[in-house]
Amino acid sequence: MNVLVINAGSSSLKYQLLNPASGELLAKGLCERIGIDGKFTYKPQVAGKQTLDAIDVAMPTHAEAIEAVLNALVDEKNGVIASMSEIDAVGHRVVHGGEKFASSVVITDEVMDAIYECNPLAPLHNPANLIGIRACQAKMPGVPMVAVFDTAFHQTMPPKAFTYAIPYEYYQKDKMRRYGFHGTSHRYVSQRCAEILGKPIEELKIVSCHLGNGSSITAVDGGKSVDTSMGLTPLAGLPMGTRSGDMDAGIMEYLMKQYNLSMDEMMTILNKKSGVLGISGVSSDFRDLDDAAAEGNQRAALAVEVFAYKVRKMIGEYAAAMGGVDAVIFTAGVGENSADLRLRFVDGLQFMGISIDPEKNNFRGEERIVSPEGSPVKVLVIPTNEELMIAKDTAELVG
Ligand code: ADP
């Protein structure tokens, strides 16, 4: 069985064709500048097939983008399947499922309506996800489709974890609560963690750290998310590449009055100009910050320090939330690739039984246990694979 996984943004569309049973990736790629001009990238993973790198393909809408993907996949020379009938199902990443979706679902008209109703909670993402689904439905009639939500995994959080201390009517009327994101990633790596440790996930207390350009940490107790750092929106929690993470809401009032900023301008500052970019003034990329810090840039060093300190505090916070911790996972761009930062995240956590063996830790982007032999808490690096999780959910639901 082959599943086409689609992650549609407002002007881009990422795709992968994979076999969920074997995990084999057949092809992946990206459509960019949809609605502007259109750039198409296609990376077949089969020997002898040619890559297309950001070539010009007119994409006035997402429909042409999907068409370009399908044409490439079945192309006589460079395709990886003989015909469209070899695509058995499509799995769509959908960002916000609100309180309506606690798991992945087969897409029906009712599901489309329910996703639409979640649009106000993710105005930049959900409308684009819906456009991607509709474009696929138009080009692939009769092929079953599944929606996999970033928020669904966190729907097991108890009210004490998801309730904001603001007037309760805003929850009742407006659904203002913590939802959390990166759920597909946290679910994937915590399942892999249980498999690697050879223990039932029901018996494990895991702190899962997804640290990339966007970052979040989740407490996974017995396989269920019981708390997570992102909130109503993906702006909350850790400082990120360009996002502020948690901060005193009073800062907004001060800055808006002081500089006569509109709400839109304020939100642009918090989403696009803050985080480690904002502190350092150098870059949102941790590799650039490392280089700048090594050259003596104090603000770059401070930005990394603020990030690492918050990660460390939150590992402790979530261990406390669960009343213990058996495993800590590092995943995503920073977690998978930066040996140095991994050491800094657990620095000082030895008192909780959390530490890393520097020799075992010296690698990038592989699945490994990095805690010392016999350590009470296992520390693991697990490359995330949200697409595989989406494909597996899709296969399971469409049978
Ligand atoms: P996204 O949230 O966009 O999916 P990723 O998970 O791909 O992001 O993470 C991207 C980030 O990972 C980059 O911005 C960079 O800061 C970080 N990163 C990648 N490789 C390294 C490395 N070797 N050392 C430090 N940071 C790295």
Side-chain angles (χ1 to χ4, degrees):
M1 179 178 202
N2 296 322
V3 175
L4 179 62
V5 174
I6 298 286
N7 181 354
S10 55
S11 68
S12 72
L13 184 149
K14 291 186 203 142
Y15 64 93
Q16 286 196 4
L17 182 68
L18 37 81
N19 178 328
S22 66
E24 188 197 359
L25 177 64
L26 296 167
K28 63 178 179 179
L30 173 66
C31 305
E32 294 168 287
R33 298 178 60 87
I34 300 170
I36 305 164
D37 41 20
K39 298 276 176 206
F40 181 65
T41 297
Y42 170 67
K43 295 181 178 169
Q45 306 292 303
V46 177
K49 306 284 177 178
Q50 245 172 22
T51 292
L52 303 175
D53 194 9
I55 60 162
D56 291 320
V57 175
M59 298 176 192
T61 70
H62 285 66
E64 291 80 15
I66 296 289
E67 201 168 299
V69 172
L70 297 175
N71 287 342
L73 291 174
V74 302
D75 183 70
E76 217 169 307
K77 202 158 135 246
N78 291 312
V80 291
I81 51 176
S83 80
M84 289 254 301
S85 64
E86 289 180 45
I87 301 175
D88 300 287
V90 183
H92 292 272
R93 177 194 182 210
V94 179
V95 167
H96 219 306
E99 289 186 326
K100 292 175 194 295
F101 298 103
S103 60
S104 305
V105 287
V106 174
I107 297 174
T108 60
D109 289 347
E110 292 73 39
V111 166
M112 292 295 278
D113 291 344
I115 296 173
Y116 179 81
E117 282 168 31
C118 297
N119 279 3
L121 294 171
L124 297 180
H125 294 99
N126 269 33
N129 300 151
L130 282 169
I131 289 170
I133 296 172
R134 288 203 193 94
C136 279
Q137 286 173 331
K139 295 285 166 198
M140 312 171 75
V143 177
M145 312 226 172
V146 166
V148 179
F149 301 90
D150 273 24
T151 50
F153 182 56
H154 302 299
Q155 278 297 301
T156 45
M157 276 191 290
K160 69 181 175 192
F162 73 65
T163 305
Y164 288 123
I166 57 174
Y168 197 65
E169 71 220 45
Y170 296 126
Y171 169 58
Q172 292 170 308
K173 280 201 315 223
D174 303 294
K175 298 282 175 227
M176 296 292 108
R177 52 158 284 178
R178 182 188 301 284
Y179 290 96
F181 298 86
H182 291 143
T184 312
S185 174
H186 290 298
R187 184 157 60 101
Y188 173 78
V189 295
S190 47
Q191 284 178 7
R192 277 301 299 147
C193 171
E195 284 163 18
I196 294 165
L197 298 179
K199 291 204 171 136
I201 198 162
E202 293 74 20
E203 289 172 16
L204 289 173
K205 294 181 189 299
I206 298 170
V207 176
S208 170
C209 306
H210 178 113
L211 310 173
N213 196 21
S215 295
S216 71
I217 302 191
T218 296
V220 184
D221 195 349
K224 294 193 164 77
S225 169
V226 293
D227 208 340
T228 192
S229 61
M230 283 181 168
L232 171 78
T233 72
L235 180 56
L238 298 162
M240 305 177 213
T242 63
R243 285 173 250 172
S244 64
D246 293 342
M247 57 153 217
D248 181 346
I251 293 173
M252 295 178 70
E253 185 200 14
Y254 181 94
L255 291 180
M256 289 174 75
K257 280 190 179 154
Q258 182 76 2
Y259 297 104
N260 202 15
L261 300 173
S262 67
M263 185 51 89
D264 279 355
E265 287 168 328
M266 188 70 239
M267 293 315 290
T268 301
I269 290 172
L270 296 180
N271 274 307
K272 303 257 163 75
K273 298 180 180 172
S274 295
V276 292
L277 168 68
I279 298 173
S280 68
V282 171
S283 172
S284 62
D285 191 303
F286 283 84
R287 289 162 290 197
D288 299 338
L289 296 176
D290 279 350
D291 293 347
E295 284 165 15
N297 186 314
Q298 297 291 316
R299 273 171 55 190
L302 176 65
V304 179
E305 202 178 357
V306 168
F307 178 71
Y309 176 61
K310 182 84 187 210
V311 171
R312 166 149 64 106
K313 280 204 297 186
M314 208 164 255
I315 293 172
E317 182 180 333
Y318 285 166
M322 293 187 287
V325 55
D326 301 302
V328 176
I329 305 169
F330 292 114
T331 191
V334 179
E336 291 166 24
N337 294 307
S338 178
D340 174 54
L341 275 172
R342 288 196 293 263
L343 286 174
R344 293 175 66 176
F345 297 144
V346 301
D347 186 29
L349 295 183
Q350 203 130 24
F351 79 98
M352 299 169 63
I354 300 174
S355 65
I356 287 180
D357 178 337
E359 274 175 29
K360 287 188 177 181
N361 183 49
N362 207 1
F363 69 97
R364 301 180 37 187
E366 284 173 41
E367 216 172 59
R368 285 200 207 169
I369 300 175
V370 293
S371 44
E373 200 64 39
S375 180
V377 180
K378 306 294 176 219
V379 181
L380 300 93
V381 177
I382 304 179
T384 194
N385 195 341
E386 287 158 289
E387 290 80 11
L388 180 59
M389 195 84 247
I390 292 172
K392 281 180 183 248
D393 277 10
T394 303
E396 202 174 297
L397 281 167
V398 308

